[in-house]
Amino acid sequence: MATRKEVALEAGVSTAAVSYFINNNGYLSQEKREKIAAAIKKLNYRPNLLAKSLKTNDSKQLVFICNEIRNPFHAEVAYGASSEAYKMGYMTMFCNVVDDEDYILKMCSYMVSGVFISTTIIRTATINKIAQMNIPVVILADRQRQGLDPSVTQITIDYDKAMGALVDHVLEQGKRRIAYVASSGMQDSARYDGKTKALFAHCQEKGIALNPNWFVEHATHTQAAYDAVQAKIFTQSDLPDAFICTNDATALGVIRAITDNGLRVPEDVIVTGFDNTVYGQMSTPRLTTIDLGTLNISRETVGLLLEKCQGKDVNGGVIDPLFIPRESTQVPQ
Amino acid sequence: MATRKEVALEAGVSTAAVSYFINNNGYLSQEKREKIAAAIKKLNYRPNLLAKSLKTNDSKQLVFICNEIRNPFHAEVAYGASSEAYKMGYMTMFCNVVDDEDYILKMCSYMVSGVFISTTIIRTATINKIAQMNIPVVILADRQRQGLDPSVTQITIDYDKAMGALVDHVLEQGKRRIAYVASSGMQDSARYDGKTKALFAHCQEKGIALNPNWFVEHATHTQAAYDAVQAKIFTQSDLPDAFICTNDATALGVIRAITDNGLRVPEDVIVTGFDNTVYGQMSTPRLTTIDLGTLNISRETVGLLLEKCQGKDVNGGVIDPLFIPRESTQVPQ
DNA sequence: CTGAAAGCGCTTACAG
DNA sequence: CTGAAAGCGCTTACAG
């Protein structure tokens, strides 16, 4: 690869002039412009963005952290985030890893412009260390975190409303034997997420006692959910009549497990999802779920992040969930 | 953020010594080591990886290009690729954009270590420009490309075998009225992909004339496939009795469209997918499909890429597909 | 209006 | 064994 120096030599100008040309600032005669343009073309020159980043102290790289890109919700967030970043001329580094603080901090050591966190399963201490590197951070998550560096912008989801709608709907269907399928562990308070908390609160309010034998943990994905439900629920003689699942991906695995045990959804057992993914819209039966406007919120969150990068003061927000009843919970009349 | 200079000052050593300490090379007395370690801790110092990259001419960043991260196949490849990169200490930049050459080349201008392309829909000229920047490139795609820079390593899929198995199976079910649902456009030769080509060849061999009215194009994803099939197929009076779909995600949308038109899968119409995603394993009916060992091949491809980065000579390969018959094509006896 | 020079935060060959 | 110095490819304040 040719460097700036070679271009300057070829064009018979200073290296500064080449810089001015490329960044379109400073004063440059028409004649020089043409010479430089010709030299760039001839040498097939491309500016080294890494060197530029070092000088300007900004790499125009965003880092995006999520814990499971194979979950269609996260894939949608990643899609929205990276396409918005693209539109604004930013690159996005992708991080699948949530528990290796050293790796995450390394990733942030490339003078990145900002960090977008889309997962609950990351330690507050890790987030704070990123913030202390003076990197703008936004987090899209399921609950307001305590003890977070005040510079971090939080965008949370109104889980009380969402889980309230789900629980009320389940009760309206005459079901009271509720199983809960979570992606996190129930006992581990660090991962005790907003959904779980809201579910428990609403059931208590409605006088429903949840059976701890029907809590399924660590159902991080479709296959894991299928396996966990088979192992933990269908080995019991006493069975639930409703499954509230942490997301659509999980719910699809649960429905398969139910069907494989000779029961029908929704006639025998009802199932709810979360996220309103396309797979839940297209499945048989279609999933009752919660819509968050995923694509839009991921885009808006990147927008917020980029405003922070420009030094603007930015407010977090709360996402209003929309309840969508479909076939997986309602027996046709 | 503290810099190397401040650490050196604090520890009372040269900046070179700090460098030796961090990279664990050169000679350093035990006493100095301890002083440096203390200074690093005290100042909460983190090396600027961008500056290091500029000096060493290698950023330890890989770029991963795919066209649709929301497709579960690509999500799986992204997952495998980035987790393998992580294991080897590399970062991965993620690129969703396939047709903006300028953006792609910019992304490669950060002294990236290598590029992993997982899409058919990218111009050969663009790939060659990356290769001409002396960046190692691997491409995981559906056909051997002509005119590619010889430095590029190609990993292709044996589509003849895969489509042959699918077509034979469909014919064995007594179906001869085959519709084809493609993610690309049929007429655009640049996007006329390996699957399509192989399908046509096999049908011709078997004496099956494909009806051009039953070619559905641009079904890039589940929703797009649903919409396209509704608009193009179910507006006709003459209907196919089998749908061969470019991938599982597409097939799920097609099944929904068929069902919404009052027909049953597989009793009235049969449907095949491709990729063996978890959604096809868990769907009702379960999808007949092709397995490629996606997770493994994405990991192996990254392994190959990293070997190339170390200057090794590396051979591409051909992936052997496995046919998996399931419920979506077989009426239970 | 223009270009020489300093400097971004690192690494490493080399002189002592 | 150790540190001063040059240099990676850029940008930009500043002297002329």
Side-chain angles (χ1 to χ4, degrees):
Chain A
M1 287 291 296
T3 68
R4 173 212 53 168
K5 220 180 202 166
E6 300 172 59
V7 173
L9 204 70
E10 172 76 27
V13 301
S14 71
T15 58
V18 179
S19 214
Y20 294 140
F21 177 81
I22 285 170
N23 298 307
N24 203 24
N25 56 16
Y27 303 88
L28 227 41
S29 67
Q30 189 56 31
E31 190 197 344
K32 283 199 177 175
R33 282 184 190 285
E34 281 162 15
K35 276 190 187 161
I36 294 171
I40 287 176
K41 191 153 194 188
K42 178 171 174 194
L43 298 175
N44 193 24
Y45 169 71
R46 282 177 215 292
N48 181 330
L49 261 25
L50 200 139
K52 173 174 182 163
S53 303
L54 176 63
K55 185 63 192 170
T56 59
N57 189 20
D58 180 14
S59 69
K60 305 281 178 196
Q61 292 186 164
L62 264 27
V63 355
F64 175 79
I65 304 176
C66 75
N67 60 312
E68 182 50 274
I69 187 70
R70 294 173 298 181
N71 177 317
F73 171 75
H74 284 125
E76 180 105 358
V77 176
Y79 175 80
S82 82
S83 56
E84 187 69 16
Y86 160 66
K87 270 199 287 184
M88 310 302 262
Y90 283 73
M91 315 291 151
T92 117
M93 292 176 72
F94 169 67
C95 181
N96 230 322
V97 170
V98 141
D99 51 5
D100 187 341
E101 183 172 288
D102 190 50
Y103 182 69
I104 292 173
L105 294 178
K106 261 189 174 167
M107 188 171 269
C108 295
S109 300
Y110 285 84
M111 288 178 149
V112 298
S113 306
V115 176
F116 183 153
I117 299 174
S118 175
T119 172
T120 312
I121 311 174
I122 182 172
R123 281 194 300 273
T124 301
T126 304
I127 303 176
N128 287 349
K129 282 184 189 167
I130 300 173
Q132 280 150 24
M133 292 166 79
N134 288 322
I135 301 172
V137 180
V138 296
I139 174 164
L140 178 61
D142 60 353
R143 65 166 195 280
Q144 199 72 23
R145 273 188 196 242
Q146 305 304 319
L148 214 50
D149 189 293
S151 75
V152 176
T153 302
Q154 300 195 60
I155 298 169
T156 57
I157 296 158
D158 187 346
Y159 274 126
D160 277 329
K161 181 172 172 186
M163 295 314 274
L166 253 15
V167 169
D168 289 349
H169 177 75
V170 165
L171 298 180
E172 277 164 24
Q173 308 306 311
K175 309 291 186 183
R176 310 205 114 225
R177 304 165 60 76
I178 299 177
Y180 180 57
V181 182
S183 60
S184 59
M186 295 290 173
Q187 308 307 335
D188 175 359
S189 65
R191 298 195 172 190
Y192 186 82
D193 63 12
K195 273 178 201 169
T196 310
K197 230 170 185 165
L199 172 72
F200 282 17
H202 268 276
C203 285
Q204 191 160 21
E205 198 179 298
K206 298 288 179 182
I208 304 288
L210 292 170
N211 181 345
N213 290 333
W214 294 339
F215 295 166
V216 179
E217 306 176 314
H218 305 300
T220 47
H221 196 51
T222 308
Q223 185 67 51
Y226 178 87
D227 295 341
V229 166
Q230 287 283 31
K232 177 141 190 202
I233 302 291
F234 284 105
T235 48
Q236 301 179 30
S237 53
D238 194 29
L239 292 177
D241 56 16
F243 284 82
I244 292 185
C245 302
T246 190
N247 58 44
D248 283 5
T250 297
L252 293 172
V254 170
I255 289 178
R256 185 75 260 172
I258 293 169
T259 310
D260 285 354
N261 281 279
L263 296 171
R264 294 162 305 162
V265 179
E267 291 82 354
D268 302 318
V269 186
I270 67 174
V271 177
T272 68
F274 207 105
D275 296 337
N276 192 23
T277 63
V278 70
Y279 303 104
Q281 293 162 32
M282 297 283 169
S283 62
T284 302
R286 290 179 175 88
L287 275 182
T288 291
T289 194
I290 296 286
D291 184 70
L292 299 172
T294 310
L295 200 53
N296 280 336
I297 60 176
S298 66
R299 286 184 177 142
E300 285 166 18
T301 303
V302 170
L304 238 45
L305 180 57
L306 294 182
E307 282 186 30
K308 275 178 87 103
C309 294
Q310 278 142 32
K312 286 188 197 151
D313 251 351
V314 141
N315 291 318
V318 176
I319 293 157
D320 191 34
L322 180 67
F323 174 63
I324 302 184
R326 294 204 191 97
E327 299 161 1
S328 69
T329 55
Q330 302 177 102
V331 182
Q333 303 304 326
Chain B
M1 286 291 297
T3 69
R4 172 212 55 167
K5 220 181 200 167
E6 301 173 56
V7 172
L9 205 70
E10 173 76 27
V13 301
S14 71
T15 59
V18 178
S19 214
Y20 293 141
F21 176 81
I22 285 169
N23 297 308
N24 203 24
N25 58 13
Y27 303 89
L28 228 41
S29 68
Q30 189 56 33
E31 191 197 342
K32 284 199 176 175
R33 283 184 189 283
E34 282 163 12
K35 275 189 187 162
I36 295 171
I40 286 176
K41 189 151 194 190
K42 178 173 174 196
L43 298 175
N44 192 26
Y45 170 71
R46 283 177 216 293
N48 181 329
L49 261 26
L50 200 141
K52 174 175 179 161
S53 303
L54 176 63
K55 185 65 192 166
T56 60
N57 190 20
D58 179 14
S59 68
K60 305 281 179 197
Q61 292 186 165
L62 264 27
V63 354
F64 175 80
I65 304 177
C66 75
N67 60 313
E68 182 50 275
I69 187 70
R70 293 173 298 181
N71 178 316
F73 171 75
H74 284 126
E76 181 105 357
V77 176
Y79 175 81
S82 82
S83 56
E84 188 70 15
Y86 159 67
K87 269 199 285 180
M88 310 302 261
Y90 283 73
M91 315 293 150
T92 118
M93 291 176 74
F94 169 67
C95 181
N96 230 322
V97 169
V98 141
D99 50 6
D100 186 342
E101 182 173 287
D102 190 51
Y103 182 69
I104 292 173
L105 294 178
K106 261 190 175 168
M107 188 172 268
C108 295
S109 299
Y110 285 85
M111 288 178 149
V112 299
S113 306
V115 176
F116 183 152
I117 299 175
S118 174
T119 174
T120 312
I121 311 174
I122 182 174
R123 280 193 300 273
T124 300
T126 303
I127 303 176
N128 287 350
K129 283 185 188 166
I130 300 173
Q132 280 150 24
M133 293 167 77
N134 288 321
I135 301 172
V137 179
V138 297
I139 173 164
L140 178 62
D142 61 351
R143 65 167 194 280
Q144 200 73 22
R145 273 186 196 244
Q146 305 304 318
L148 214 51
D149 188 292
S151 75
V152 176
T153 302
Q154 301 194 60
I155 298 171
T156 55
I157 296 159
D158 186 345
Y159 274 125
D160 277 327
K161 181 171 172 187
M163 296 314 275
L166 253 16
V167 168
D168 289 349
H169 177 75
V170 164
L171 297 180
E172 278 164 22
Q173 308 306 310
K175 310 290 186 185
R176 309 206 114 225
R177 305 165 59 76
I178 300 176
Y180 181 56
V181 182
S183 60
S184 59
M186 294 291 173
Q187 307 308 335
D188 175 0
S189 65
R191 298 193 172 190
Y192 186 83
D193 63 12
K195 272 178 202 169
T196 311
K197 231 172 187 162
L199 172 72
F200 282 18
H202 268 275
C203 285
Q204 191 159 21
E205 199 178 298
K206 298 288 179 180
I208 303 289
L210 292 170
N211 182 344
N213 290 332
W214 295 338
F215 295 167
V216 179
E217 306 176 315
H218 306 301
T220 48
H221 196 49
T222 308
Q223 184 68 52
Y226 178 87
D227 295 341
V229 166
Q230 287 283 31
K232 177 139 192 207
I233 301 293
F234 285 105
T235 47
Q236 301 180 30
S237 53
D238 194 29
L239 292 176
D241 56 16
F243 284 82
I244 292 185
C245 302
T246 189
N247 58 44
D248 283 5
T250 297
L252 293 172
V254 171
I255 289 179
R256 182 77 259 171
I258 294 169
T259 310
D260 285 354
N261 281 280
L263 297 172
R264 293 163 306 161
V265 179
E267 291 82 352
D268 302 318
V269 186
I270 67 175
V271 177
T272 68
F274 208 106
D275 296 337
N276 193 23
T277 63
V278 69
Y279 304 104
Q281 293 162 31
M282 296 284 169
S283 62
T284 302
R286 290 179 175 88
L287 275 183
T288 291
T289 192
I290 297 285
D291 184 72
L292 299 172
T294 310
L295 199 54
N296 280 337
I297 59 177
S298 65
R299 285 184 177 141
E300 285 165 19
T301 303
V302 170
L304 237 46
L305 181 56
L306 293 182
E307 281 186 30
K308 274 177 88 101
C309 294
Q310 278 141 33
K312 286 187 197 152
D313 250 352
V314 140
N315 290 318
V318 176
I319 292 156
D320 191 34
L322 181 68
F323 174 64
I324 301 185
R326 295 206 191 97
E327 300 161 1
S328 69
T329 55
Q330 301 177 103
V331 182
Q333 301 303 326

